[in-house]
Every structure is written in C-alpha cells, then in structure tokens.
Amino acid sequence: MKAPGKQMELKDNLFNRALFGDDFKWGVSTAAYQIEGGHDAHGKGPSVWDVFTAKSGAIPSGHHGNTACDFYNTYPQDIAVLKELGIPNFRFSLSWSRIIPAGTGEVNEHGIDFYNRVIDTCLANGIEPWVTLYHWDLPHELDLKGGWANREVVEWFKEFVQVCAKAFGDRVKYWMVMNEPMVFTGAGYFLGLHAPGKKGLNNFLPAVHHAVLAMAEGGRTLRSLLPDAQIGTTFSCSHIEPYTSGRKDVVAARRVDALLNRLFIEPILGMGYPEEDLPVAKKLKKYMKPGDSGLMQFDFDFIGIQNYTREIVKHSIFVPYLNAVLVKAENRKVPLTAMGWEIYPPAIYHMLKKYAEYENMPKLYITENGVAFPDTAVGGKVNDPERIHYIKSHLRQVLRAKEEGVDVQGYFVWTLLDNFEWAEGYHPRFGLVHVDFETQQRIIKSSGHWYKAFLNG
Ligand code: GAL
C-alpha cells in the first residue's frame, strides 16, 4: 500500500471544499429514464427501456420507469432543492425519443419545450446545466432496425445531436456525448441484462464499434455547431486487481481491465482497440470500414470518469474469450453497498492516475461517484451517515490524485434523487434526497445536508 497523501491526515473539520480550489466544479448527476417518468407524455415515443421493462421477467422486480421520480412534472421543485442545497452544477440527460419519437425524422416540439424549461429553470436559479446526450434510452423504433448493432445508428445519432445542439446550444455550455458505453453495450448487447436485452458477440461487437464511431461523430457535430462549448464524454471504470500474483490471474486481470477500462477510451484517443491485452477485440475488424481509425478519434475537451468500486479478477477456463471471472465482493469479507459492491475509496484515486497517464488526455471530471444503501425514512428524516462517509472518503482520494498532479477539475455525486436503478429497480437508493415512490414526497437525507454544508463551508 502506498503512503496516504497529506490530506489523509487532515482532521474532518479541516477537510473542506477550498482544498480543491475555486474553479473546481461541484455537482450532482442524473439520467432521463431513471427520474423523468412521463413515458408517453406529450408525444414521447417509446425507448428500449420502456419496452424492455414491460416484458415480463426482463427486470427481476418487475419495476419500470413509467413514472419514476416524476421529474417530468416535479422539475421545478427538484431544481429548487438543488438551489437550496447550494449545488452549482446539474448533470441530466436528454431522452432521445422524447425529442425525436421515432429516433429519426419528425421532432416533438413538446420534448424540446420540456428540456427548454428544465434548462431555463436551472439558469434562473444560478445552476449550470450539464447535458448528457445519450444515457442508454435508445428510441425503440431504431432498435427495430437493429439499434446499436446497425451502423446506420451513427447517422441517426448525429441527427439527434444536431437537433439538440441547435435547440439548446445557446444556453448549454457543458455537453457529454455518451454515458458509459461499456455498460450499455455490455449489459444491453452481450449479457441481455439491460435493454434491449440482446446477447452474444454478434450483437456486442458491432454495438461497441458503432458506439465508438457515434461518440466521436457526436463530438465533431457539437464542435462544428457550438465551437465555444465544452465537449466531453463519460466512461465507467473500476480499479482491477488480480486475485493472486500468479501469472494466470495477472493476465486475466489485464484482460478484464482492457475490457472494462480501455476498450472505449483508447480508440477515442487514436490508439485503436486494446487488442494485445484483449484478443477478442481483434474480431472488431470485421465491422471496420476503410477510414474508421480516423473516424474513431475525437479530441474531447474533457473526459468524465465514473467510478464506484474495484474488482478482483481470477483466471477461469469457463468464461469464453475472457478466461476470467470477478471474485464477488460478498465472498471477500469486505464492506458492501446495497448493490453488493465493495466500498474501496482508493479505487477512484487509481482510476484518476491511470487515465491521467495517457498522452493527450484532456482534463478529467468525476462525473459520477456515489453509493446505494437501504435508507429508510423515520419520523420524516433519513439518516445516512454511511453515505457521508463514502463520499468524504472518496473525495479525499480525489484530492490525493489532484495533489499528485492529476488534472481533475470537478466531482458530481451520483445522484440527486433515489431513482430507477436499471435492472435493480427501485430498491437501491443512491440519492442525496429520499423519494417515496408512492407519494413522490422528497426528504433531504443527512448526506444532502452534509453536501450543502461542505459546499458552503
Ligand atoms: C452508472 C450509471 C448510472 C447509475 C449508476 C449507479 O453506471 O451511469 O445511470 O445507475 O451507475 O449504478
């Protein structure tokens, strides 16, 4: 173990916002399908998540996002909570099928109007909107044409980006093209656990390549239409360690690291796919056309890193292509979250250091970090000291990386409201604000009050 940085010794009351500098961006992150509801309101078309969650058995709990946190109607109150908590930056995503119901073609003015109101309400309250263009809710009509496995998706996505840039670019300065392409391609096109529920390499590999092309094309489209905007994209990442120092486990860990942490960022940086450490990536060639290596690159202004945990990896002959398995945290006698993920704050430090090592890496923001616990309301209050501890201990690790020279310029908590946690439904509660999904009543948790004090301290 490395020696802790000097801020590790800082007493709790001395650990404050000022240590990160005046320009450091503080915020919270959300996503359209997880909070909005209004699934068929005012001309919205269905997305793959609307269709997937309606299929019996697709989500073990049978939950869906039809109403979710009802943010479609409650956004004025929820943005008022942001203001009350003194949170200066709000990251949210745009629902593609609310804006273009069939994914391509006719634009739904009601959808544009909704996001105009959200953006204007933020600005009127002194809150900077940070917009993610794609947080996994592909229009269902496009899925019927093959979705991310069809190369035409790059053109459909470009059209969506153009519509959004023209509609909102006069007021939105911070854009993120995609959220965690590894998760929506892996869980949605390989494992079948997320929408649209597809499986296997024949779905996964084309989806990966087209997501890379779309991410870069989205960046180019924004830059040409909004030359002054800050343009980024976000990646999931987990710190990977081998189960033993034996060669087989070490090589297995390298393969998993290449898959989870390198597959998308390296082509964007112009390095191509990490074929050497992840041999199955060689099969991506089948989907490449002449000129693609150049088209896969884009010079983003920032990269958003999203980290929650670390994974321990063991060699296994039973997993085709990867020959590796994750050793479940529940079998490792480590502290766990409600998602069953290990609580391991140094992971975020290691990921910042790892990404900062790439040549030409632009500035980094932590665009998501947070934790789920059961969080129950007792007498109108929700006391969640474990979340405060989780966020603080991760922030100390962010500061440690920053003090060692990593260009990290912001931190966004996942998330504002308890919400629809994808395949897990509504049970894991990640919010700084508790939501009663029957009544839509909000209660600011003690972590929300702590974040307010930290930001204003
Ligand atoms: C991320 C995702 C979010 C949220 C979070 C917690 O992977 O971008 O939508 O669900 O994880 O699991």
Side-chain angles (χ1 to χ4, degrees):
M1 264 223 356
K2 285 193 181 144
K6 69 173 189 267
Q7 82 287 349
M8 296 297 284
E9 290 129 41
L10 276 182
K11 291 253 169 44
D12 229 32
N13 55 353
L14 294 178
F15 183 71
N16 59 40
R17 174 186 182 159
L19 296 167
F20 294 79
D22 291 345
D23 296 332
F24 201 82
K25 309 285 186 200
W26 297 95
V28 286
S29 287
T30 61
Y33 188 72
Q34 295 181 273
I35 61 170
E36 283 179 5
H39 69 111
D40 59 359
H42 305 123
K44 177 180 171 292
S47 79
V48 287
W49 272 97
D50 292 311
V51 174
F52 186 65
T53 51
K55 272 189 207 149
S56 133
I59 299 287
S61 60
H63 294 170
H64 53 70
N66 290 2
T67 307
C69 308
D70 199 28
F71 182 81
Y72 187 67
N73 295 304
T74 62
Y75 72 89
Q77 294 91 295
D78 292 326
I79 294 171
V81 170
L82 286 172
K83 184 174 185 186
E84 183 187 338
L85 296 181
I87 296 172
N89 297 285
F90 179 41
R91 174 177 174 231
F92 57 92
S93 77
L94 307 178
S95 155
W96 185 345
S97 63
R98 196 181 290 294
I99 292 175
I100 308 179
T104 172
E106 208 178 319
V107 171
N108 175 23
E109 288 307 326
H110 296 292
I112 300 276
D113 180 53
F114 168 64
Y115 292 112
N116 272 334
R117 284 182 277 125
V118 171
I119 292 164
D120 291 344
T121 308
C122 284
L123 294 172
N125 285 286
I127 294 162
E128 187 77 52
W130 290 55
V131 166
T132 311
L133 283 155
Y134 186 75
H135 202 128
W136 308 353
D137 43 359
L138 186 77
H140 172 62
E141 289 293 319
L142 300 183
D143 184 52
L144 297 176
K145 300 177 195 168
W148 286 102
N150 180 346
R151 190 174 168 116
E152 277 184 73
V153 74
V154 181
E155 285 307 308
W156 300 327
F157 185 63
K158 182 176 177 176
E159 180 187 331
F160 170 56
V161 177
Q162 284 168 336
V163 168
C164 297
K166 285 178 189 154
F168 313 121
D170 57 335
R171 286 151 295 151
V172 174
K173 287 194 240 149
Y174 294 89
W175 295 82
M176 284 142 289
V177 175
M178 254 181 211
N179 183 72
E180 300 190 349
M182 184 58 223
V183 177
F184 80 80
T185 56
Y189 286 80
F190 187 73
L191 299 172
L193 298 172
H194 278 193
K198 294 185 179 164
K199 289 184 184 167
L201 276 189
N202 291 339
N203 286 307
F204 175 64
L205 292 174
V208 166
H209 187 53
H210 303 146
V212 169
L213 290 172
M215 203 161 35
E217 193 59 30
R220 282 186 287 274
T221 306
L222 286 174
R223 178 131 326 135
S224 72
L225 293 171
L226 307 172
D228 298 328
Q230 282 286 304
I231 302 164
T233 196
T234 77
F235 298 107
S236 49
C237 57
S238 292
H239 177 54
I240 306 292
E241 286 178 27
Y243 185 59
T244 69
S245 55
R247 204 188 68 87
K248 283 189 168 173
D249 284 347
V250 170
V251 177
R254 210 177 290 151
R255 273 193 301 275
V256 171
D257 179 57
L259 176 71
L260 298 186
N261 298 326
R262 299 170 49 198
L263 186 62
F264 288 88
I265 183 68
E266 294 193 1
I268 288 291
L269 293 174
M271 302 163 67
Y273 291 115
E275 292 176 358
E276 208 170 299
D277 289 325
L278 184 67
V280 69
K282 292 193 182 119
K283 292 180 187 283
L284 283 159
K285 285 204 181 73
K286 184 173 159 195
Y287 304 97
M288 287 185 67
K289 295 203 169 161
D292 274 10
S293 317
L295 293 173
M296 286 152 71
Q297 295 180 43
F298 181 69
D299 197 6
F300 281 101
D301 296 309
F302 69 89
I303 292 297
I305 289 191
Q306 317 201 145
N307 171 262
Y308 291 85
T309 191
R310 78 165 159 179
E311 299 291 355
I312 304 294
V313 174
K314 202 173 167 182
H315 174 80
S316 161
I317 51 166
F318 301 111
V319 182
Y321 305 110
L322 211 51
N323 288 353
V325 281
L326 303 182
V327 183
K328 283 192 176 162
E330 66 193 45
N331 299 331
R332 291 194 268 119
K333 296 197 177 74
V334 291
L336 297 180
T337 75
M339 297 290 282
W341 298 344
E342 179 186 3
I343 300 178
Y344 185 70
I348 204 165
Y349 163 84
H350 291 301
M351 296 323 297
L352 282 166
K353 294 288 274 193
K354 180 182 174 74
Y355 278 70
E357 263 171 32
Y358 284 111
E359 224 176 289
N360 304 326
M361 178 58 78
K363 67 185 164 223
L364 301 170
Y365 294 113
I366 299 293
T367 40
E368 284 183 25
N369 171 244
V371 64
F373 288 118
D375 299 340
T376 42
V378 180
K381 291 204 161 122
V382 179
N383 195 19
D384 58 341
E386 305 93 341
R387 179 170 291 99
I388 300 176
H389 185 255
Y390 179 100
I391 296 175
K392 260 203 267 189
S393 51
H394 282 74
L395 279 176
R396 285 175 186 270
Q397 296 289 337
V398 173
L399 186 58
R400 176 180 165 206
K402 191 172 175 350
E403 286 177 345
E404 289 178 22
V406 172
D407 188 12
V408 52
Q409 300 197 10
Y411 176 92
F412 288 65
V413 176
W414 182 269
T415 180
L416 178 65
L417 304 168
D418 292 340
N419 63 39
F420 177 77
E421 176 54 30
W422 308 113
E424 316 297 324
Y426 290 97
H427 294 309
R429 292 180 173 272
F430 273 93
L432 296 174
V433 176
H434 184 272
V435 176
D436 178 328
F437 294 103
E438 299 287 311
T439 62
Q440 292 299 339
Q441 199 204 344
R442 272 67 164 148
I443 300 173
I444 298 172
K445 300 180 191 176
S446 53
S447 58
H449 293 295
W450 169 81
Y451 199 37
K452 174 179 180 174
F454 178 83
L455 294 179
N456 297 310

PDB file of all heavy atoms in Angstrom, residues 31 34 91 135-136 179-180 183 236 306 308 339 341 368 414 419-422 430, ligand 1:
ATOM      1  N   ALA A  31     -30.092  10.862 -14.763  1.00  0.00           N
ATOM      2  CA  ALA A  31     -30.328  10.402 -16.140  1.00  0.00           C
ATOM      3  C   ALA A  31     -31.826  10.368 -16.409  1.00  0.00           C
ATOM      4  O   ALA A  31     -32.610  10.027 -15.520  1.00  0.00           O
ATOM      5  CB  ALA A  31     -29.742   9.011 -16.336  1.00  0.00           C
ATOM      6  N   GLN A  34     -34.121   7.324 -15.585  1.00  0.00           N
ATOM      7  CA  GLN A  34     -34.131   6.967 -14.163  1.00  0.00           C
ATOM      8  C   GLN A  34     -34.998   7.895 -13.318  1.00  0.00           C
ATOM      9  O   GLN A  34     -35.410   7.523 -12.232  1.00  0.00           O
ATOM     10  CB  GLN A  34     -32.699   6.945 -13.632  1.00  0.00           C
ATOM     11  CG  GLN A  34     -31.866   5.851 -14.292  1.00  0.00           C
ATOM     12  CD  GLN A  34     -30.445   5.800 -13.773  1.00  0.00           C
ATOM     13  OE1 GLN A  34     -29.576   6.505 -14.275  1.00  0.00           O
ATOM     14  NE2 GLN A  34     -30.196   4.985 -12.781  1.00  0.00           N
ATOM     15  N   ARG A  91     -26.128  17.755 -13.691  1.00  0.00           N
ATOM     16  CA  ARG A  91     -25.985  16.933 -14.896  1.00  0.00           C
ATOM     17  C   ARG A  91     -27.251  16.107 -15.095  1.00  0.00           C
ATOM     18  O   ARG A  91     -27.685  15.394 -14.180  1.00  0.00           O
ATOM     19  CB  ARG A  91     -24.763  16.010 -14.744  1.00  0.00           C
ATOM     20  CG  ARG A  91     -24.619  15.028 -15.877  1.00  0.00           C
ATOM     21  CD  ARG A  91     -23.362  14.157 -15.776  1.00  0.00           C
ATOM     22  NE  ARG A  91     -23.405  13.173 -16.824  1.00  0.00           N
ATOM     23  CZ  ARG A  91     -23.245  11.865 -16.655  1.00  0.00           C
ATOM     24  NH1 ARG A  91     -22.965  11.370 -15.471  1.00  0.00           N
ATOM     25  NH2 ARG A  91     -23.347  11.036 -17.672  1.00  0.00           N
ATOM     26  N   HIS A 135     -27.944   8.595 -22.472  1.00  0.00           N
ATOM     27  CA  HIS A 135     -27.798   7.790 -21.257  1.00  0.00           C
ATOM     28  C   HIS A 135     -28.706   6.564 -21.402  1.00  0.00           C
ATOM     29  O   HIS A 135     -29.650   6.368 -20.643  1.00  0.00           O
ATOM     30  CB  HIS A 135     -28.124   8.630 -20.021  1.00  0.00           C
ATOM     31  CG  HIS A 135     -27.537   8.104 -18.741  1.00  0.00           C
ATOM     32  ND1 HIS A 135     -26.780   8.879 -17.888  1.00  0.00           N
ATOM     33  CD2 HIS A 135     -27.596   6.876 -18.156  1.00  0.00           C
ATOM     34  CE1 HIS A 135     -26.407   8.157 -16.826  1.00  0.00           C
ATOM     35  NE2 HIS A 135     -26.897   6.937 -16.965  1.00  0.00           N
ATOM     36  N   TRP A 136     -28.465   5.802 -22.499  1.00  0.00           N
ATOM     37  CA  TRP A 136     -28.946   4.424 -22.666  1.00  0.00           C
ATOM     38  C   TRP A 136     -30.371   4.235 -23.180  1.00  0.00           C
ATOM     39  O   TRP A 136     -30.789   3.095 -23.392  1.00  0.00           O
ATOM     40  CB  TRP A 136     -28.816   3.629 -21.359  1.00  0.00           C
ATOM     41  CG  TRP A 136     -27.466   3.676 -20.733  1.00  0.00           C
ATOM     42  CD1 TRP A 136     -26.318   4.224 -21.245  1.00  0.00           C
ATOM     43  CD2 TRP A 136     -27.105   3.130 -19.453  1.00  0.00           C
ATOM     44  NE1 TRP A 136     -25.272   4.055 -20.367  1.00  0.00           N
ATOM     45  CE2 TRP A 136     -25.730   3.394 -19.254  1.00  0.00           C
ATOM     46  CE3 TRP A 136     -27.810   2.446 -18.467  1.00  0.00           C
ATOM     47  CZ2 TRP A 136     -25.045   2.993 -18.099  1.00  0.00           C
ATOM     48  CZ3 TRP A 136     -27.145   2.050 -17.322  1.00  0.00           C
ATOM     49  CH2 TRP A 136     -25.774   2.317 -17.139  1.00  0.00           C
ATOM     50  N   ASN A 179     -23.008   8.362 -22.058  1.00  0.00           N
ATOM     51  CA  ASN A 179     -22.769   7.848 -20.714  1.00  0.00           C
ATOM     52  C   ASN A 179     -22.372   6.380 -20.796  1.00  0.00           C
ATOM     53  O   ASN A 179     -23.116   5.554 -21.312  1.00  0.00           O
ATOM     54  CB  ASN A 179     -24.036   7.950 -19.862  1.00  0.00           C
ATOM     55  CG  ASN A 179     -23.772   7.474 -18.447  1.00  0.00           C
ATOM     56  OD1 ASN A 179     -23.101   8.169 -17.690  1.00  0.00           O
ATOM     57  ND2 ASN A 179     -24.243   6.287 -18.095  1.00  0.00           N
ATOM     58  N   GLU A 180     -21.185   6.073 -20.309  1.00  0.00           N
ATOM     59  CA  GLU A 180     -20.733   4.697 -20.089  1.00  0.00           C
ATOM     60  C   GLU A 180     -21.072   3.729 -21.222  1.00  0.00           C
ATOM     61  O   GLU A 180     -21.887   2.808 -21.044  1.00  0.00           O
ATOM     62  CB  GLU A 180     -21.318   4.168 -18.784  1.00  0.00           C
ATOM     63  CG  GLU A 180     -20.918   4.982 -17.576  1.00  0.00           C
ATOM     64  CD  GLU A 180     -21.298   4.314 -16.259  1.00  0.00           C
ATOM     65  OE1 GLU A 180     -22.052   3.329 -16.278  1.00  0.00           O
ATOM     66  OE2 GLU A 180     -20.831   4.787 -15.212  1.00  0.00           O
ATOM     67  N   VAL A 183     -21.110  -0.022 -20.410  1.00  0.00           N
ATOM     68  CA  VAL A 183     -22.234  -0.628 -19.682  1.00  0.00           C
ATOM     69  C   VAL A 183     -23.417  -0.889 -20.622  1.00  0.00           C
ATOM     70  O   VAL A 183     -23.999  -1.973 -20.610  1.00  0.00           O
ATOM     71  CB  VAL A 183     -22.647   0.233 -18.465  1.00  0.00           C
ATOM     72  CG1 VAL A 183     -23.856  -0.377 -17.768  1.00  0.00           C
ATOM     73  CG2 VAL A 183     -21.482   0.346 -17.485  1.00  0.00           C
ATOM     74  N   SER A 236     -17.402   4.500 -17.618  1.00  0.00           N
ATOM     75  CA  SER A 236     -17.384   3.738 -16.369  1.00  0.00           C
ATOM     76  C   SER A 236     -15.985   3.170 -16.197  1.00  0.00           C
ATOM     77  O   SER A 236     -15.322   2.840 -17.185  1.00  0.00           O
ATOM     78  CB  SER A 236     -18.382   2.581 -16.452  1.00  0.00           C
ATOM     79  OG  SER A 236     -18.205   1.865 -17.658  1.00  0.00           O
ATOM     80  N   GLN A 306     -16.337   7.741 -14.166  1.00  0.00           N
ATOM     81  CA  GLN A 306     -17.397   7.322 -13.252  1.00  0.00           C
ATOM     82  C   GLN A 306     -16.923   6.061 -12.542  1.00  0.00           C
ATOM     83  O   GLN A 306     -16.727   5.028 -13.177  1.00  0.00           O
ATOM     84  CB  GLN A 306     -18.687   7.118 -14.041  1.00  0.00           C
ATOM     85  CG  GLN A 306     -18.844   8.282 -15.030  1.00  0.00           C
ATOM     86  CD  GLN A 306     -20.224   8.555 -15.558  1.00  0.00           C
ATOM     87  OE1 GLN A 306     -20.558   9.726 -15.766  1.00  0.00           O
ATOM     88  NE2 GLN A 306     -21.032   7.550 -15.768  1.00  0.00           N
ATOM     89  N   TYR A 308     -17.145   3.541  -8.964  1.00  0.00           N
ATOM     90  CA  TYR A 308     -17.894   3.165  -7.764  1.00  0.00           C
ATOM     91  C   TYR A 308     -17.135   2.176  -6.878  1.00  0.00           C
ATOM     92  O   TYR A 308     -17.366   2.113  -5.686  1.00  0.00           O
ATOM     93  CB  TYR A 308     -19.240   2.531  -8.161  1.00  0.00           C
ATOM     94  CG  TYR A 308     -20.195   3.544  -8.772  1.00  0.00           C
ATOM     95  CD1 TYR A 308     -20.154   3.864 -10.121  1.00  0.00           C
ATOM     96  CD2 TYR A 308     -21.120   4.199  -7.974  1.00  0.00           C
ATOM     97  CE1 TYR A 308     -21.012   4.814 -10.659  1.00  0.00           C
ATOM     98  CE2 TYR A 308     -21.988   5.134  -8.498  1.00  0.00           C
ATOM     99  CZ  TYR A 308     -21.928   5.446  -9.842  1.00  0.00           C
ATOM    100  OH  TYR A 308     -22.771   6.385 -10.368  1.00  0.00           O
ATOM    101  N   MET A 339     -25.762  -2.506  -3.523  1.00  0.00           N
ATOM    102  CA  MET A 339     -25.595  -3.131  -4.829  1.00  0.00           C
ATOM    103  C   MET A 339     -24.701  -4.376  -4.727  1.00  0.00           C
ATOM    104  O   MET A 339     -24.443  -5.039  -5.736  1.00  0.00           O
ATOM    105  CB  MET A 339     -24.945  -2.153  -5.819  1.00  0.00           C
ATOM    106  CG  MET A 339     -25.760  -0.920  -6.119  1.00  0.00           C
ATOM    107  SD  MET A 339     -27.236  -1.274  -7.094  1.00  0.00           S
ATOM    108  CE  MET A 339     -26.543  -1.457  -8.741  1.00  0.00           C
ATOM    109  N   TRP A 341     -21.563  -4.062  -4.037  1.00  0.00           N
ATOM    110  CA  TRP A 341     -20.239  -3.613  -4.485  1.00  0.00           C
ATOM    111  C   TRP A 341     -19.355  -3.321  -3.278  1.00  0.00           C
ATOM    112  O   TRP A 341     -19.833  -2.830  -2.241  1.00  0.00           O
ATOM    113  CB  TRP A 341     -20.364  -2.332  -5.316  1.00  0.00           C
ATOM    114  CG  TRP A 341     -21.166  -2.484  -6.572  1.00  0.00           C
ATOM    115  CD1 TRP A 341     -21.518  -3.661  -7.194  1.00  0.00           C
ATOM    116  CD2 TRP A 341     -21.760  -1.433  -7.349  1.00  0.00           C
ATOM    117  NE1 TRP A 341     -22.277  -3.399  -8.310  1.00  0.00           N
ATOM    118  CE2 TRP A 341     -22.441  -2.045  -8.428  1.00  0.00           C
ATOM    119  CE3 TRP A 341     -21.776  -0.042  -7.247  1.00  0.00           C
ATOM    120  CZ2 TRP A 341     -23.119  -1.310  -9.399  1.00  0.00           C
ATOM    121  CZ3 TRP A 341     -22.457   0.692  -8.213  1.00  0.00           C
ATOM    122  CH2 TRP A 341     -23.115   0.059  -9.274  1.00  0.00           C
ATOM    123  N   GLU A 368     -19.483  10.847 -12.060  1.00  0.00           N
ATOM    124  CA  GLU A 368     -20.341  10.052 -11.168  1.00  0.00           C
ATOM    125  C   GLU A 368     -19.494   9.367 -10.119  1.00  0.00           C
ATOM    126  O   GLU A 368     -18.450   8.782 -10.439  1.00  0.00           O
ATOM    127  CB  GLU A 368     -21.100   8.939 -11.924  1.00  0.00           C
ATOM    128  CG  GLU A 368     -22.260   9.404 -12.740  1.00  0.00           C
ATOM    129  CD  GLU A 368     -23.015   8.242 -13.395  1.00  0.00           C
ATOM    130  OE1 GLU A 368     -22.964   7.103 -12.881  1.00  0.00           O
ATOM    131  OE2 GLU A 368     -23.647   8.488 -14.434  1.00  0.00           O
ATOM    132  N   TRP A 414     -23.345  10.863  -7.732  1.00  0.00           N
ATOM    133  CA  TRP A 414     -24.489  10.096  -8.210  1.00  0.00           C
ATOM    134  C   TRP A 414     -25.273   9.708  -6.981  1.00  0.00           C
ATOM    135  O   TRP A 414     -24.792   8.881  -6.237  1.00  0.00           O
ATOM    136  CB  TRP A 414     -24.073   8.855  -9.016  1.00  0.00           C
ATOM    137  CG  TRP A 414     -25.307   8.155  -9.511  1.00  0.00           C
ATOM    138  CD1 TRP A 414     -25.998   7.163  -8.880  1.00  0.00           C
ATOM    139  CD2 TRP A 414     -26.023   8.444 -10.719  1.00  0.00           C
ATOM    140  NE1 TRP A 414     -27.115   6.821  -9.607  1.00  0.00           N
ATOM    141  CE2 TRP A 414     -27.147   7.588 -10.736  1.00  0.00           C
ATOM    142  CE3 TRP A 414     -25.830   9.345 -11.769  1.00  0.00           C
ATOM    143  CZ2 TRP A 414     -28.074   7.620 -11.786  1.00  0.00           C
ATOM    144  CZ3 TRP A 414     -26.745   9.358 -12.807  1.00  0.00           C
ATOM    145  CH2 TRP A 414     -27.861   8.493 -12.793  1.00  0.00           C
ATOM    146  N   ASN A 419     -33.845   6.680  -7.298  1.00  0.00           N
ATOM    147  CA  ASN A 419     -34.469   6.579  -8.625  1.00  0.00           C
ATOM    148  C   ASN A 419     -34.494   5.144  -9.134  1.00  0.00           C
ATOM    149  O   ASN A 419     -34.181   4.209  -8.400  1.00  0.00           O
ATOM    150  CB  ASN A 419     -33.744   7.518  -9.607  1.00  0.00           C
ATOM    151  CG  ASN A 419     -32.288   7.131  -9.807  1.00  0.00           C
ATOM    152  OD1 ASN A 419     -31.952   5.946  -9.870  1.00  0.00           O
ATOM    153  ND2 ASN A 419     -31.411   8.120  -9.888  1.00  0.00           N
ATOM    154  N   PHE A 420     -34.848   4.995 -10.394  1.00  0.00           N
ATOM    155  CA  PHE A 420     -34.941   3.678 -11.034  1.00  0.00           C
ATOM    156  C   PHE A 420     -33.538   3.196 -11.378  1.00  0.00           C
ATOM    157  O   PHE A 420     -32.915   3.708 -12.307  1.00  0.00           O
ATOM    158  CB  PHE A 420     -35.807   3.779 -12.297  1.00  0.00           C
ATOM    159  CG  PHE A 420     -35.889   2.488 -13.056  1.00  0.00           C
ATOM    160  CD1 PHE A 420     -36.719   1.461 -12.613  1.00  0.00           C
ATOM    161  CD2 PHE A 420     -35.127   2.272 -14.197  1.00  0.00           C
ATOM    162  CE1 PHE A 420     -36.772   0.249 -13.304  1.00  0.00           C
ATOM    163  CE2 PHE A 420     -35.185   1.078 -14.889  1.00  0.00           C
ATOM    164  CZ  PHE A 420     -36.012   0.064 -14.434  1.00  0.00           C
ATOM    165  N   GLU A 421     -33.064   2.227 -10.614  1.00  0.00           N
ATOM    166  CA  GLU A 421     -31.688   1.764 -10.786  1.00  0.00           C
ATOM    167  C   GLU A 421     -31.656   0.582 -11.765  1.00  0.00           C
ATOM    168  O   GLU A 421     -31.320  -0.543 -11.426  1.00  0.00           O
ATOM    169  CB  GLU A 421     -31.072   1.431  -9.422  1.00  0.00           C
ATOM    170  CG  GLU A 421     -29.678   0.846  -9.437  1.00  0.00           C
ATOM    171  CD  GLU A 421     -28.624   1.647 -10.202  1.00  0.00           C
ATOM    172  OE1 GLU A 421     -28.718   2.882 -10.286  1.00  0.00           O
ATOM    173  OE2 GLU A 421     -27.712   1.001 -10.729  1.00  0.00           O
ATOM    174  N   TRP A 422     -32.066   0.832 -13.004  1.00  0.00           N
ATOM    175  CA  TRP A 422     -31.949  -0.126 -14.110  1.00  0.00           C
ATOM    176  C   TRP A 422     -32.440  -1.523 -13.724  1.00  0.00           C
ATOM    177  O   TRP A 422     -33.521  -1.649 -13.172  1.00  0.00           O
ATOM    178  CB  TRP A 422     -30.503  -0.141 -14.639  1.00  0.00           C
ATOM    179  CG  TRP A 422     -30.018   1.253 -14.959  1.00  0.00           C
ATOM    180  CD1 TRP A 422     -29.036   1.945 -14.304  1.00  0.00           C
ATOM    181  CD2 TRP A 422     -30.506   2.157 -15.976  1.00  0.00           C
ATOM    182  NE1 TRP A 422     -28.877   3.199 -14.869  1.00  0.00           N
ATOM    183  CE2 TRP A 422     -29.747   3.352 -15.886  1.00  0.00           C
ATOM    184  CE3 TRP A 422     -31.489   2.072 -16.976  1.00  0.00           C
ATOM    185  CZ2 TRP A 422     -29.950   4.442 -16.739  1.00  0.00           C
ATOM    186  CZ3 TRP A 422     -31.687   3.152 -17.827  1.00  0.00           C
ATOM    187  CH2 TRP A 422     -30.926   4.314 -17.701  1.00  0.00           C
ATOM    188  N   PHE A 430     -29.742   5.577  -4.166  1.00  0.00           N
ATOM    189  CA  PHE A 430     -28.464   6.272  -4.369  1.00  0.00           C
ATOM    190  C   PHE A 430     -28.553   7.770  -4.067  1.00  0.00           C
ATOM    191  O   PHE A 430     -27.567   8.477  -4.168  1.00  0.00           O
ATOM    192  CB  PHE A 430     -28.024   6.143  -5.841  1.00  0.00           C
ATOM    193  CG  PHE A 430     -27.218   4.919  -6.194  1.00  0.00           C
ATOM    194  CD1 PHE A 430     -27.819   3.762  -6.680  1.00  0.00           C
ATOM    195  CD2 PHE A 430     -25.831   4.934  -6.097  1.00  0.00           C
ATOM    196  CE1 PHE A 430     -27.065   2.645  -7.044  1.00  0.00           C
ATOM    197  CE2 PHE A 430     -25.066   3.830  -6.456  1.00  0.00           C
ATOM    198  CZ  PHE A 430     -25.684   2.688  -6.929  1.00  0.00           C
TER     199      PHE A 430
HETATM  200  C1  GAL B   1     -23.780   4.204 -13.568  1.00  0.00           C
HETATM  201  C2  GAL B   1     -24.888   4.775 -14.424  1.00  0.00           C
HETATM  202  C3  GAL B   1     -25.975   5.436 -13.656  1.00  0.00           C
HETATM  203  C4  GAL B   1     -26.288   4.803 -12.318  1.00  0.00           C
HETATM  204  C5  GAL B   1     -25.044   4.406 -11.559  1.00  0.00           C
HETATM  205  C6  GAL B   1     -25.281   3.602 -10.296  1.00  0.00           C
HETATM  206  O1  GAL B   1     -23.215   3.112 -14.199  1.00  0.00           O
HETATM  207  O2  GAL B   1     -24.364   5.720 -15.322  1.00  0.00           O
HETATM  208  O3  GAL B   1     -27.083   5.541 -14.501  1.00  0.00           O
HETATM  209  O4  GAL B   1     -27.221   3.820 -12.431  1.00  0.00           O
HETATM  210  O5  GAL B   1     -24.188   3.666 -12.358  1.00  0.00           O
HETATM  211  O6  GAL B   1     -25.389   2.252 -10.569  1.00  0.00           O
END
